[in-house]
Structure formats: structure tokens, C-alpha cells
Amino acid sequence: MRISRSSPWPILVAFIAGTVILGVLTSSFRGVWNPREGLEFVARTPSGVPGFPPAFAYLISGTGGESKRMLRLLKAVYHPRNKYLLYMDAVSSEEERTALAVCVRLEKVFRVFRNVHMVGKSYAVDSTGPSSLAATLHGAAVLLKMGGEWDWFVTLSSSDYPIVTQDDLLHTFTDLPRDLNFVDHTSDLGWKRYHRFERITVDPNLYMGNNSKPFIAKESRRSPDAFTIFTGSPWVILSRSFVEYCVHGWENLPRQLLMYAANVPFPLEFYFHTVLCNSPQFRNTTVNGDLRFFVWDNPPKEEPLLLNMTHFRRIVRSGAAFARRFAEDDVVLRNLDRKVLRRSSAAGRWRCTEGAAEAAEKAQCGSWGDIGAVEPGPSGRRLKSSVAGLVAEERRRSDQCRSR
Ligand SMILES: *[C@@H]1O[C@H](CO)[C@@H](O)[C@H](O)[C@H]1NC(C)=O
Ligand SMILES: *[C@@H]1O[C@H](CO)[C@@H](O)[C@H](O)[C@H]1NC(C)=O
Ligand SMILES: *[C@@H]1O[C@H](CO)[C@@H](O)[C@H](O)[C@H]1NC(C)=O
């Protein structure tokens, strides 16, 4: 009798599925980890308490061939307080997803704090179609389901990069009300009224296994009159309470708009904006800004320009938290790592000593520092003042979501 040799991949995948992907779910921790005590933690963080650093839940998405960039981005936005969920779409192969999961597993600090997870199965997504909204809501739902305390949901793609350290970001958000939503929005639709809201798009990624391009139907439809449409940047920072509202949908508005969005091109440029601004409960929590830095071509194309060293000064002085789009391994990323994120040395007090990242890898580091202690650098002070300006501007207005 012949016994066919099975490939090692299914076993490896199953192993990783059981251990890394949606493994033991943990919360934000405060406290000190001692390698001699094994993977045990003490004292949970009372996150959500004003005056205490918050925690972010990051959804990092990418497509086939982008796992290296995703890993680099993950390391650049890593902080033990936060939660991370990685998602790769159907263009990626199982081997690539497995390799990414293995890389995550091999990083000691991710293992210790158990706050990096990956969606095991992939499905088709197109960034211009409604499948992108489905994937974002799926990521948000998984981050909620994983439990643990986090305060804001942040969406990033593999061509994004942070331009402040996590300490800068945590410090900036420490004193902010936890219910604020950072969504760049307007109800001035302009050319989008016809091209986005009167045309009907069909996204095959919602019903086909492989990635494919959405198409536009010949018929058009009337603009909605049951709600006011708001559009803006697809990159958002949403409060946990608003994410729960969208995911659980105990009011009809989020679901009604979701079903409407099933035929709207670029729904990430309208969905959260429109739900927020049409909801009496949440409209006062909007801050009109996405904290991102882009440079647009003239006239603007679908995506912002690729950033390079000629933009470096503007990036650093922008007062934003993230920038896009970067080419893989661009020299500007190395400069951001070295000069802004200070990643060659220990960035963040939670790393115990100078060069602790490497020391900790070798378990020479006795304990991790206090992950509740955040120390902003110069870019953190710029970010703090730009966010304070945005929030103050919104507070002065009597109505945050102005209709034009
Ligand atoms: C996706 O495409 C690949 C190659 O083109 C094919 O082998 C595979 O069966 C397709 N998968 C699905 C779910 O359609
Ligand atoms: C940097 O980007 C700008 C705008 O995209 C472009 O005009 C310029 O040629 C680029 N410079 C380099 C050195 O690649
Ligand atoms: C929102 O702000 C407006 C204007 O200040 C106020 O009238 C309204 O009561 C606020 N809504 C909520 C839910 O706080």
C-alpha cells in the first residue's frame, strides 16, 4: 500500500492557527514581565480612565506580496498597550500568510504581550469596492470580540507609515475624551454626487472567491433623501463606542447605510462619516480631521502621490500621526525610522534599557519597563498641538457635522 506523503504546510498552518492566530486573547497590561516567571502578567491596565494612556486597536491590511511591508509597519506602530490585527486578502497565498504568522510568532515581544493577531482565512477585497468596507467592519468586529481594553480603532494599509512614535500618539490621546471620532468629512459632495451616489457599482469580491474589479451598472439611481451623505478621507480613527454601534447595529442606521453602501464605490470614503453625522448620539463626537499626511497630484488622482525624501521636512512638520503612500523600502522610511521613530535605539520607556529590543530578544533584559509610562518626543508635541487645535475648533462650533 502506498502512503502519500502529505505536505507539511497544513500541519504548520493548523499549528499556527491554534497558537498565533486568534490565540489566547489578552488585555492591555500594566506591569513588569520577568522572563523567569514565564509568560505571566500582573495588574491590568485601567484603560479608558482619563489621565491614563489609552490603547489603540490597529487593523493593518495588505494584499499578496505585501507581508514584509505589513511586518515593518507593525513594528513601527508597535506598543504593548495596543492591539493589532493583520489581514491579507485573497491575492496572498497561504504560504505568504503562514510566513507572516511565523514572523509574528518569532518576535519575542509580540509573544510576550500577546497582542498581535492575524485573520487566518483570506477573502477577496478590492479597495475601491464595498468589499473593503466589509473587511474593515470584519476587522473591527474581530478586535471587539478579542476583548481586552482598547479605546480607538485605527485603520492602516501596507503603504501607510507612522510619522510619530506610539509614545507620542498615546501621550497625545491621554487627555482626550475617549468618545471622539477623527473623521475628515464634508457634506459638500461636488462631482461625487453623481459619480459616487447616483451610479451603482457591483463588487464581485462580495460573492467570488478571487479578487476582481468592481464594475458600474448602466442604470443610475436618485441621491438618498432619508439621510444626509457625508464624504471624506477613508482613513479614520474611531472611538470604541462608535465601533460597537456600527458593528452591533442596535439602531437601524448603521445597517441601513451598510446595505445602501453595498452598491456605492469607495464606501470607506462615506460610510463612517455618514453614520456618525446622521446619528444624534454621535454627531457631537466628530473631529474633522484624519491625522494623516498626503500629497496630492494636480489634478488629484485616485491615490495620493508616493512620498520620497523631497517631502521629508513637510512630513515631519505636518503635525499628523500617519502618512501615505510610501513605496516599499523607500529611503524616506529609513530616515523616518532613524530620525523620527528612533527605532535603532530604544523608543519608549517600556523597553527596559538602551538597545533593549535586542537585549530582550536574548532575554538578557531582566524585565520590561512600565508600559503605562509614555514619553513624547518633538513630533509628539507637534501632534498634540495640532490635535488640540482640531478638537478646540470642533468644540467652538455648535454643530459638528455641518450640512452645506
Ligand atoms: C482563484 O484563482 C486561482 C488561479 O487563477 C484558481 O486556481 C483558484 O481555484 C481560484 N479560486 C477560487 C476560489 O475561485
Ligand atoms: C519625489 O516625488 C515627487 C512627486 O511625486 C516627484 O516629482 C519627484 O521626482 C520625486 N523625487 C525623487 C527623488 O524620486
Ligand atoms: C449636540 O450639540 C448640540 C449643540 O451644542 C446640542 O444641542 C445637542 O444636545 C448635543 N447632542 C448630544 C447628544 O449631546
Side-chain angles (χ1 to χ4, degrees):
M1 192 175 72
R2 277 181 52 146
I3 298 170
S4 63
R5 273 178 64 87
S6 58
S7 124
W9 282 115
I11 298 161
L12 192 53
V13 170
F15 170 72
I16 284 157
T19 54
V20 187
I21 306 167
L22 301 180
V24 186
L25 308 174
T26 53
S27 317
S28 332
F29 301 98
R30 181 176 202 207
V32 175
W33 175 73
N34 184 328
R36 279 176 296 275
E37 290 167 13
L39 302 183
E40 290 301 323
F41 301 92
V42 283
R44 296 179 68 191
T45 306
S47 168
V49 177
F52 209 83
F56 292 90
Y58 282 95
L59 175 64
I60 300 178
S61 50
T63 184
E66 293 186 341
S67 55
K68 280 212 182 83
R69 305 174 69 169
M70 291 170 72
L71 194 62
R72 180 178 193 163
L73 172 61
L74 169 65
K75 288 179 180 173
V77 294
Y78 187 77
H79 192 283
R81 300 186 67 79
N82 298 336
K83 298 277 172 287
Y84 301 86
L85 183 67
L86 308 178
Y87 171 71
M88 297 197 76
D89 71 19
V91 175
S92 65
S93 63
E94 196 156 305
E95 285 75 16
E96 187 178 15
R97 290 195 300 277
T98 307
L100 179 59
V102 168
C103 288
V104 167
R105 184 80 185 132
L106 289 177
E107 198 74 32
K108 176 154 188 182
V109 62
F110 298 166
R111 263 199 330 271
V112 168
F113 291 101
R114 289 184 291 187
N115 58 349
V116 181
H117 303 278
M118 195 170 154
V119 177
K121 279 182 94 168
S122 76
Y123 46 82
V125 179
D126 187 276
S127 61
T128 71
S131 52
S132 61
L133 175 58
T136 302
L137 286 170
H138 175 214
V142 172
L143 283 161
L144 284 176
K145 171 88 178 161
M146 280 173 16
E149 290 137 10
W150 53 264
D151 302 288
W152 278 284
F153 171 65
V154 186
T155 54
L156 291 179
S157 88
S158 53
S159 48
D160 295 349
Y161 213 67
I163 56 178
V164 296
T165 64
Q166 286 306 291
D167 274 28
D168 292 338
L169 197 62
L170 292 167
H171 172 75
T172 299
F173 278 71
T174 296
D175 297 325
L176 293 182
R178 301 296 201 249
D179 64 349
L180 293 183
N181 291 285
F182 294 81
V183 177
D184 163 80
H185 64 270
T186 174
S187 63
D188 184 7
L189 302 184
W191 61 270
K192 286 186 180 173
R193 180 174 298 282
Y194 175 70
H195 288 278
R196 296 280 171 85
F197 302 105
E198 295 184 0
R199 308 203 70 186
I200 298 169
T201 190
V202 177
D203 186 349
N205 300 297
L206 292 174
Y207 54 86
M208 304 299 285
N210 276 339
N211 272 45
S212 37
K213 279 282 158 208
F215 56 88
I216 302 275
K218 281 202 202 76
E219 285 76 17
S220 58
R221 58 178 169 183
R222 288 169 58 194
S223 289
D225 66 2
F227 46 84
T228 309
I229 291 181
F230 288 79
T231 68
S233 162
W235 307 105
V236 293
I237 299 178
L238 304 176
S239 68
R240 184 181 183 125
S241 54
F242 181 64
V243 171
E244 283 171 348
Y245 177 73
C246 290
V247 167
H248 296 315
W250 59 83
E251 270 174 19
N252 200 27
L253 179 69
R255 190 157 21 237
Q256 177 194 3
L257 286 177
L258 181 63
M259 310 234 32
Y260 169 72
N263 297 103
V264 176
F266 297 93
L268 286 172
E269 295 183 10
F270 111 95
Y271 180 74
F272 295 115
H273 321 56
T274 305
V275 176
L276 258 179
C277 286
N278 284 274
S279 155
Q281 195 183 338
F282 287 102
R283 59 184 295 150
N284 287 3
T285 63
T286 54
V287 176
N288 199 354
D290 58 3
L291 308 186
R292 317 280 171 137
F293 177 81
F294 316 96
V295 177
W296 293 97
D297 208 353
N298 188 18
K301 304 235 166 45
E302 202 172 277
E303 281 276 16
L305 287 175
L306 281 173
L307 299 171
N308 58 37
M309 275 314 280
T310 58
H311 305 111
F312 188 75
R313 275 168 65 90
R314 282 173 66 198
I315 294 173
V316 172
R317 288 159 182 239
S318 64
F322 305 96
R324 74 180 272 120
R325 276 180 317 134
F326 294 100
E328 183 167 6
D329 257 338
D330 195 277
V331 57
V332 70
L333 293 179
R334 280 203 291 284
N335 277 276
L336 282 170
D337 276 349
R338 217 178 54 236
K339 297 185 186 151
V340 181
L341 307 179
R342 309 189 302 272
R343 290 196 46 227
S344 50
S345 73
R349 279 261 298 279
W350 61 275
R351 299 192 196 274
C352 54
T353 50
E354 200 55 23
E358 295 75 43
E361 285 298 333
K362 299 187 195 101
Q364 286 163 353
C365 180
S367 64
W368 297 90
D370 180 2
I371 69 167
V374 296
E375 258 175 14
S379 39
R381 287 189 281 278
R382 269 192 290 268
L383 177 67
K384 189 164 187 166
S385 83
S386 79
V387 168
L390 279 173
V391 173
E393 193 182 324
E394 293 301 327
R395 287 282 178 260
R396 270 200 303 279
R397 300 211 168 99
S398 60
D399 187 2
Q400 266 80 3
C401 298
R402 290 159 306 280
S403 301
R404 271 161 227 192

